[in-house]
Amino acid sequence: MSRAEKRSAVTQTALIGHLVHRIRRRLCFARSDHLGVQLRRHALASDTGAQTVREALDLIHRIAPEKISAMRTCLPGGIAIEWTDYANGWFDAATGTCCLGGQFVATAGPVDLALTVVHELCHARLERCGIGYPEDQRDRIERLCVSREIAFARALARAGCGDAITVDALCRKRDSLTAAQFSDTALRALHRREVLHRARMLGMQTPHCVRRCLVLATRKRLRRLRQG
């Protein structure tokens, strides 16, 4: 691929991302307050997923109630069930939100969701302490967050809510992490896949009027780019 083609692909991805972001924000979210932690569900996500997240929060409250208190402080945006296959979960530093992938929520159980929330809470705590996410330290940060998952999984096992297999799997995951997995190149590719997935799914599952607005907004944006 030539340099011009690469620039064109990046511009196209950025444009689609901007439009998808605007439409996604316009779609309503179902909200609820659970254990003092704000829980938001995307309008296109199922009600069942929100209930499973509530069960995961109940589990965290029972095993490690101090983490619920930390969520109120470090996650002012609460927990949001997104509608994307970007990842199982991620921390949105701009809004202070623990985001959970809708497809992951639909298939995971309360234990897996609780472990993911604990992982992202660790990211939020580090961010609050002024520790960013530089490329040369990402593998170390991820190992630390997985270590928090392991500690919580062991507490679950002691309480009879988990098993040793989960702990062993998390230990193997921590030991297999590499810097290449979290490089800028890898994260850009992941983000581009997420943007294109959102655009494709919004085009297939949103009402015709919304799709029409997306087409008109795209044409308007392209005209501005040509004029500018």
Side-chain angles (χ1 to χ4, degrees):
M1 182 181 293
S2 67
R3 184 174 299 178
E5 290 174 337
K6 288 182 179 179
R7 282 200 300 268
S8 177
V10 171
T11 302
Q12 182 183 18
T13 302
L15 175 60
I16 294 174
H18 174 72
L19 293 172
V20 170
H21 175 77
R22 289 184 63 180
I23 286 185
R24 184 175 65 85
R25 289 301 176 193
R26 289 177 184 274
L27 292 173
C28 66
F29 281 80
R31 298 173 180 269
S32 67
D33 197 31
H34 187 70
L35 297 175
V37 179
Q38 179 177 277
L39 174 61
R40 295 180 296 145
R41 175 183 62 80
H42 196 282
L44 299 177
S46 66
D47 293 327
T48 306
Q51 179 58 36
T52 309
V53 174
R54 292 188 187 96
E55 294 173 6
L57 291 175
D58 285 332
L59 194 58
I60 295 173
H61 184 263
R62 188 163 71 249
I63 303 299
E66 71 279 359
K67 294 189 182 299
I68 297 294
S69 300
M71 284 182 208
R72 300 189 188 107
T73 303
C74 302
L75 293 173
I79 297 175
I81 304 174
E82 284 285 1
W83 192 58
T84 176
D85 66 348
Y86 177 62
N88 290 348
W90 64 97
F91 172 60
D92 186 348
T95 59
T97 304
C98 169
C99 299
L100 299 174
Q103 296 181 10
F104 172 64
V105 172
T107 57
V111 171
D112 290 331
L113 289 176
L115 290 169
T116 303
V117 171
V118 168
H119 181 109
E120 302 310 327
L121 176 61
C122 183
H123 281 294
R125 280 176 157 173
L126 293 174
E127 181 77 19
R128 186 174 177 81
C129 293
I131 301 174
Y133 200 58
E135 185 176 14
D136 60 342
Q137 297 181 22
R138 287 173 192 163
D139 56 330
R140 295 174 58 189
I141 292 173
E142 291 296 335
R143 288 192 187 95
L144 175 61
C145 294
V146 176
S147 295
R148 294 292 180 268
E149 285 188 75
I150 293 171
F152 184 70
R154 286 173 175 160
L156 287 174
R158 288 194 296 270
C161 302
D163 51 51
I165 297 176
T166 301
V167 176
D168 292 340
L170 288 171
C171 289
R172 290 194 298 272
K173 174 184 175 181
R174 179 187 58 187
D175 296 338
S176 65
L177 293 176
T178 62
Q181 292 175 267
F182 307 100
S183 65
D184 287 341
T185 302
L187 295 184
R188 277 196 299 268
L190 191 63
H191 177 64
R192 186 172 188 274
R193 188 188 73 179
E194 177 230 357
V195 167
L196 294 176
H197 169 79
R198 283 188 178 184
R200 184 174 66 253
M201 297 303 290
L202 282 171
M204 289 190 300
Q205 298 195 22
T206 52
H208 174 74
C209 59
V210 177
R211 294 200 300 272
R212 182 62 180 168
C213 289
L214 177 59
V215 171
L216 294 175
T218 302
R219 291 175 179 173
K220 183 178 180 181
R221 178 63 176 169
L222 289 173
R223 282 198 300 269
R224 287 180 179 178
L225 289 174
R226 284 195 293 268
Q227 293 171 0

